[in-house]
Amino acid sequence: MKYEYINSAKYNLNTITKAFEHESRNDFFRICKILKFTIHPYPGPQKNKKKIEDLDRWLKGRLTDEEGRIWDRILRESGYINRLYKDLYSDEEYEQANAIAGSRELSAYLMFVEYYLTSLLNSMRGRNDLNDLLGIQSDLGEIPDVNERMLCYGELFDHVSIEIKNALEYIAFYKNHNQICDRVDTKEILKAKGHLLSVMKKKIIDQIVESWQFGDPVIAMDQDVFLCEQDDWGNRIRTYWEMRERSTYTTSMLAAEQYPVTTDNEEQQEFDRTNFILQRQLYADLSDCRCEIVGKEGENITVKIQDLIKAYARLKTICKNHLKTRKIENLNGNMRQVCVQIKKKDLKRELAELELEDPECVLKLLTYGKAKDLLDAPLLATGIYYYMVPSLVAELQISEVLLSLANGFYFRGKALEHRLFRLLKEENIICGKIKRHESSDTYECDSVFVLEDCLFLVEAKAWGFPANITQYYNMNKKIIEADRQINRLYEYIRKHIPDVLQELGLDEGYKINHIYRIILSNFQRADEQELENSFLCDFNCFRGVIKGIPSGVLVKAPRSEKLLKVSDEPNRLSKITAEELVNYLQRNELLDLTKDILYEKEFCEPIHKLRIKKTYLERKLPLAMVWP
């Protein structure tokens, strides 16, 4: 299927007829779902209802009976999903939040978010008594066990932090209510809760839509209950997400051990720890790595990643200092006391102390705007001030923020292939890089290496981490393209093996009986692999098998601060054999380990009058206690 349909901005009949004429029927129906023009996720009447009716009539005379049933199923399932959205927007809490006066709506929302995040942090530390003073209680109540409490409230805090952006974008851009006022009534702060609850419920529906776009879950309605039975695609997504979360958590734990935050120069510790995490996750030298900003009229500006880390660390310091001195209670509606208010000239003076290469560009990247969120861009600019939600910024994981921006990174230093070469040379494995020009064609391979009678071709890809299901699906496009590249190389190299051996310093008579293809990524996937002739592997796993470091599970003992790790020492003395490497690549070990700690669980989520009933994969143990 042609992947360009994924990013089509708008549905029109020409797009559909083109797909109908040029794609297979299965791909055509998938494109219809990907374009999601039958889904209406907004309040109010469905604007393209007539276009869908016109398309339905156009298709009826062109589809077979079986194809017609598939199309009818798409329309029927779309109708069920649209009922969920309609039910969401008829909720009283949603209506109350939207009734807040436009001049105060943004301030009310920001203050509610700050109060709620503060309450979660208080509960996480076992201080619900402080929430009584605030005038707001967190939703989970009291949890006696310390580890369980930290995990439950920590995960809820992270979830809320991510969801803040959706209501903020709705208020500031869709409704154009972007004024910030000094004072808001307590009742309006409480009403603003409806915005956050609505976007969190909407996220559940949006995730169902994404699973439906790219997979085939079984969807039905039973009176007031929406039923969704996940298919293999949905479970693939969950195993990827699980691996992604544990990979991040493991790296953060290692960084915290290596660079514990102290009261002495906390900003430097933050900088060092973030550097450690990013170097490990991205496998690049960040000292000369930059992030791109798309400016006006397509002008692109780049900012040093090191400067971004310094600036984020300074914002964290400002917010932590605010929280230390802040005294608020009973849902005080004073914006300056609840949130951080800092004059633009004062913040520029703070950043000047950091000796940044281009502080103006850094500020542009850190300032909230359309298509940004408060994690990536925590500064809200209005008039002569910047505002920040202090509990959000103070708890910010800088490495996570930058990893979400990783697709805009330019790596100008030692990237993934440099790490690969160093690893192979450390293990005395014959390796090299191939670059050949044949008439107008260029053939380039990031790395080739030899084990016994086997030649391995490696295509190294430092991709960003997919942040949602659509990006995950887009990533598969990159994998298919990388597979196409490496297959092209394979066809060339198998015809020129003597030349390749000579470049590697081996005799022409050296016998090569097998050629294998590896696509090496910088992040762990732990999902099903669909490539026919190539292996997909991440650098951490590849390094482990090459060095003979055993795979296993890392465990944090309950009620213990100690992290118990599997051995980092090799379990063999000799160099890896070709058979051992191929057997490992054929076996998706991370997928097996991930499946071992997941089980199916059913949940029922009330929207308003309707409820969503679906199964999903849940961990057998909390994230901090077990991960591959």
Side-chain angles (χ1 to χ4, degrees):
M1 188 188 75
K2 292 182 175 63
Y3 280 78
E4 64 262 23
Y5 293 103
I6 297 171
N7 298 316
S8 295
K10 291 183 179 179
Y11 151 75
N12 58 60
L13 193 57
N14 288 336
T15 305
I16 292 299
T17 53
K18 176 186 170 186
F20 187 86
E21 291 165 1
H22 295 98
E23 307 289 340
S24 70
R25 284 293 174 269
N26 284 339
D27 284 350
F28 167 74
F29 291 126
R30 175 63 60 205
I31 289 163
C32 288
K33 292 173 78 172
I34 285 173
L35 290 174
K36 61 176 184 179
F37 58 86
T38 56
I39 303 297
H40 182 62
Y42 310 108
Q46 189 166 2
K47 292 180 180 178
N48 62 345
K49 185 178 179 181
K50 186 177 184 307
K51 290 182 180 179
I52 296 169
E53 291 171 350
D54 291 343
L55 176 63
D56 185 44
R57 283 192 293 272
W58 187 84
L59 286 174
K60 281 292 169 28
R62 293 168 170 79
L63 297 175
T64 65
D65 290 345
E66 179 59 30
E67 291 167 353
R69 282 190 285 273
I70 296 171
W71 170 245
D72 287 341
R73 178 186 168 186
I74 290 173
L75 293 179
R76 183 171 62 252
E77 290 176 343
S78 301
Y80 294 151
I81 292 169
N82 290 339
R83 280 184 65 187
L84 290 178
Y85 283 118
K86 186 176 180 180
D87 187 57
L88 171 67
Y89 298 126
S90 65
D91 192 347
E92 185 180 351
E93 286 183 322
Y94 171 81
E95 291 174 347
Q96 286 181 350
N98 278 281
I100 299 171
S103 60
R104 298 190 299 277
E105 189 172 10
L106 180 57
S107 296
Y109 177 67
L110 293 174
M111 280 194 272
F112 173 77
V113 164
E114 173 55 29
Y115 273 114
Y116 188 57
L117 292 178
T118 302
S119 75
L120 292 178
L121 292 172
N122 288 340
S123 296
M124 189 163 60
R125 294 159 186 151
R127 295 297 308 275
N128 281 338
D129 57 307
L130 295 178
N131 291 340
D132 292 334
L133 293 173
L134 281 180
I136 184 171
Q137 280 291 350
S138 51
D139 294 341
L140 300 179
E142 203 165 322
I143 303 173
D145 183 79
V146 176
N147 287 309
E148 187 181 352
R149 185 177 70 233
M150 297 283 285
L151 289 166
C152 290
Y153 279 107
E155 287 187 352
L156 181 55
F157 185 96
D158 291 344
H159 182 57
V160 171
S161 299
I162 292 167
E163 295 309 312
I164 289 168
K165 65 178 180 181
N166 296 315
L168 182 60
E169 186 172 292
Y170 170 68
I171 295 166
F173 297 108
Y174 181 80
K175 298 180 76 174
N176 201 29
H177 294 168
N178 46 31
Q179 309 97 313
I180 291 182
C181 62
D182 289 339
R183 288 189 172 275
V184 174
D185 186 76
T186 298
K187 291 180 181 177
E188 290 184 317
I189 294 174
L190 286 173
K191 285 179 181 178
K193 179 182 180 180
H195 281 309
L196 188 59
L197 287 176
S198 297
V199 296
M200 292 175 77
K201 290 177 180 179
K202 185 176 181 293
K203 178 66 174 292
I204 296 171
I205 307 173
D206 290 344
Q207 286 177 337
I208 290 171
V209 172
E210 283 193 299
S211 296
W212 175 82
Q213 281 179 275
F214 304 116
D216 291 297
V218 178
I219 289 175
M221 286 294 299
D222 182 6
Q223 296 181 345
D224 65 344
V225 179
F226 176 94
L227 305 170
C228 180
E229 187 176 329
Q230 205 59 269
D231 64 339
D232 288 341
W233 169 261
N235 288 339
R236 274 180 62 185
I237 296 293
R238 185 66 183 94
T239 54
Y240 162 72
W241 244 238
E242 187 66 31
M243 188 67 252
R244 170 78 180 92
E245 288 175 16
R246 289 199 310 281
S247 172
T248 303
Y249 193 90
T250 306
T251 311
S252 298
M253 291 288 287
L254 295 172
E257 286 186 348
Q258 186 143 344
Y259 300 100
V261 174
T262 64
T263 52
D264 301 328
N265 202 347
E266 192 172 316
E267 280 185 18
Q268 185 61 44
Q269 295 291 333
E270 189 81 52
F271 180 83
D272 292 338
R273 191 167 66 253
T274 302
N275 250 348
F276 174 87
I277 294 171
L278 291 177
Q279 301 266 30
R280 185 178 172 89
Q281 295 277 51
L282 294 169
Y283 303 102
D285 180 3
L286 297 182
S287 62
D288 197 25
C289 180
R290 306 177 78 87
C291 182
E292 180 184 66
I293 303 173
V294 179
K296 292 180 181 178
E297 298 177 358
E299 177 194 1
N300 291 357
I301 308 164
T302 63
V303 172
K304 288 178 71 172
I305 299 302
Q306 301 287 28
D307 284 356
L308 274 182
I309 298 172
K310 289 178 186 176
Y312 276 121
R314 179 56 59 92
L315 295 184
K316 287 190 71 167
T317 300
I318 292 169
C319 288
K320 285 181 178 180
N321 290 339
H322 177 82
L323 293 172
K324 285 175 187 174
T325 58
R326 182 180 70 176
K327 292 181 181 179
I328 52 173
E329 57 186 34
N330 297 326
L331 291 180
N332 177 354
N334 188 319
M335 186 69 181
R336 273 180 282 186
Q337 290 179 5
V338 178
C339 295
V340 169
Q341 181 194 69
I342 183 170
K343 286 185 176 179
K344 290 180 178 179
K345 65 178 182 180
D346 291 340
L347 183 58
K348 288 177 182 178
R349 190 163 51 245
E350 292 257 5
L351 296 185
E353 295 174 5
L354 304 177
E355 298 180 349
L356 308 179
E357 180 183 80
D358 194 336
E360 287 295 330
C361 286
V362 170
L363 271 175
K364 282 182 185 177
L365 198 60
L366 295 177
T367 301
Y368 177 73
K370 203 164 188 178
K372 290 185 177 183
D373 62 52
L374 284 187
L375 293 174
D376 297 344
L379 296 171
L380 285 103
T382 176
I384 62 170
Y385 294 107
Y386 286 117
Y387 291 88
M388 287 185 282
V389 178
S391 293
L392 176 70
V393 180
E395 297 295 320
L396 197 69
Q397 294 292 327
I398 299 174
S399 57
E400 275 297 284
V401 173
L402 292 177
L403 284 170
S404 75
L405 299 172
N407 286 321
F409 284 11
Y410 286 116
F411 298 101
R412 296 181 179 174
K414 298 176 182 177
L416 185 57
E417 58 256 38
H418 292 78
R419 299 287 176 104
L420 173 61
F421 276 120
R422 189 168 70 190
L423 168 66
L424 295 172
K425 287 173 181 176
E426 283 173 357
E427 296 302 306
N428 297 315
I429 295 172
I430 297 167
C431 60
K433 182 169 182 167
I434 301 296
K435 187 169 185 178
R436 290 291 188 86
H437 300 283
E438 298 278 341
S439 61
S440 61
D441 293 326
T442 299
Y443 299 88
E444 186 171 3
C445 188
D446 293 332
S447 175
V448 294
F449 65 92
V450 174
L451 283 175
E452 300 158 3
D453 63 344
C454 298
L455 183 69
F456 293 84
L457 315 180
V458 183
E459 191 71 23
K461 297 294 182 184
W463 290 317
F465 296 92
N468 53 47
I469 297 173
T470 304
Q471 287 183 18
Y472 176 91
Y473 200 79
N474 270 321
M475 183 184 66
N476 287 345
K477 174 186 176 182
K478 296 178 182 178
I479 291 170
I480 290 168
E481 176 58 25
D483 189 47
R484 188 194 65 77
Q485 290 175 15
I486 205 166
N487 284 331
R488 177 175 173 271
L489 281 166
Y490 169 83
E491 292 300 328
Y492 174 80
I493 284 175
R494 73 185 183 89
K495 296 173 184 175
H496 298 82
I497 285 180
D499 297 334
V500 173
L501 293 176
Q502 187 178 4
E503 286 193 36
L504 294 175
L506 296 169
D507 296 334
E508 275 189 32
Y510 193 97
K511 187 70 173 173
I512 294 292
N513 290 320
H514 303 283
I515 304 175
Y516 295 101
R517 288 153 274 189
I518 302 172
I519 298 171
L520 196 67
S521 71
N522 63 315
F523 67 96
Q524 298 171 326
R525 282 191 49 141
D527 53 9
E528 301 287 355
Q529 299 177 19
E530 297 179 343
L531 302 179
E532 189 174 342
N533 299 309
S534 304
F535 298 118
L536 186 63
C537 188
D538 71 273
F539 185 81
N540 265 336
C541 290
F542 186 80
R543 176 182 174 274
V545 70
I546 291 291
K547 283 189 167 291
I549 298 170
S551 299
V553 175
L554 286 76
V555 178
K556 185 175 181 181
R559 297 179 177 81
S560 168
E561 294 300 315
K562 195 169 182 184
L563 185 65
L564 309 176
K565 302 176 191 173
V566 293
S567 171
D568 210 27
E569 297 298 318
N571 62 357
R572 63 165 187 267
L573 298 176
S574 58
K575 187 165 71 174
I576 188 172
T577 65
E579 184 181 10
E580 286 172 332
L581 178 57
V582 171
N583 286 342
Y584 179 84
L585 293 170
Q586 286 174 335
R587 197 175 74 242
N588 194 338
E589 186 180 49
L590 281 180
L591 178 61
D592 294 337
L593 284 168
T594 302
K595 283 183 173 178
D596 283 346
I597 65 165
L598 295 174
Y599 70 99
E600 273 198 355
K601 187 177 180 180
E602 191 176 84
F603 84 99
C604 198
E605 176 72 28
I607 300 301
H608 180 213
K609 293 179 180 178
L610 300 180
R611 290 171 293 150
I612 296 174
K613 187 177 181 181
K614 62 175 291 202
T615 57
Y616 69 106
L617 293 175
E618 180 63 286
R619 302 184 198 108
K620 293 177 184 175
L621 288 170
L623 183 63
M625 291 178 64
V626 56
W627 59 87

